């Protein structure tokens, strides 16, 4: 599948005490999105920022929530 590949090490989403920790590029994208007042749930916004920071396409069934995130490339998981 052209969309699915192993994430590069810089992308690593680490778990620490049940909360994801994000690398510097992702934190920057997340801060920009929060300043722009993108109205998406926090975890969805973090997922979107991971994809943006890594120039990746986000596969999701939840197109409606993610389509409002600027700079995010999305594809419908079901098609």
């Amino acid at each position: 599948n052209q969309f699915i590949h192993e994430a590069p090490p810089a992308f690593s989403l680490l778990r620490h005490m049940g909360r994801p920790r994000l690398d510097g590029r992702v934190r920057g994208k997340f801060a920009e999105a929060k300043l722009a007042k993108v109205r998406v749930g926090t975890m969805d916004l973090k997922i979107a920022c991971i994809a943006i920071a890594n120039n990746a396409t986000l596969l999701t069934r939840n197109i409606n929530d993610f389509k409002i995130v600027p700079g995010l490339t999305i594809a419908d998981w079901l098609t």
Side-chain angles (χ1 to χ4, degrees):
N1 186 324
Q2 69 186 25
F3 295 110
I4 299 173
H5 64 281
E6 187 174 330
F11 160 74
S12 64
L13 176 64
L14 304 174
R15 293 257 173 217
H16 178 70
M17 297 175 61
R19 294 186 178 207
R21 292 188 325 178
L22 309 172
D23 72 20
R25 293 175 304 133
V26 177
R27 280 194 310 271
K29 295 293 182 185
F30 184 75
E32 290 172 18
K34 292 299 260 184
L35 284 173
K37 300 192 187 296
V38 175
R39 300 204 32 102
V40 175
T42 299
M43 292 309 289
D44 283 349
L45 189 55
K46 287 180 180 181
I47 292 166
C49 290
I50 291 167
I52 293 167
N54 288 281
N55 296 318
T57 297
L58 177 65
L59 292 176
T60 181
R61 294 182 309 169
N62 192 2
I63 297 292
N64 287 331
D65 284 353
F66 286 106
K67 71 182 178 186
I68 64 171
V69 179
L72 178 62
T73 303
I74 55 176
D76 191 332
W77 179 258
L78 301 176
T79 60

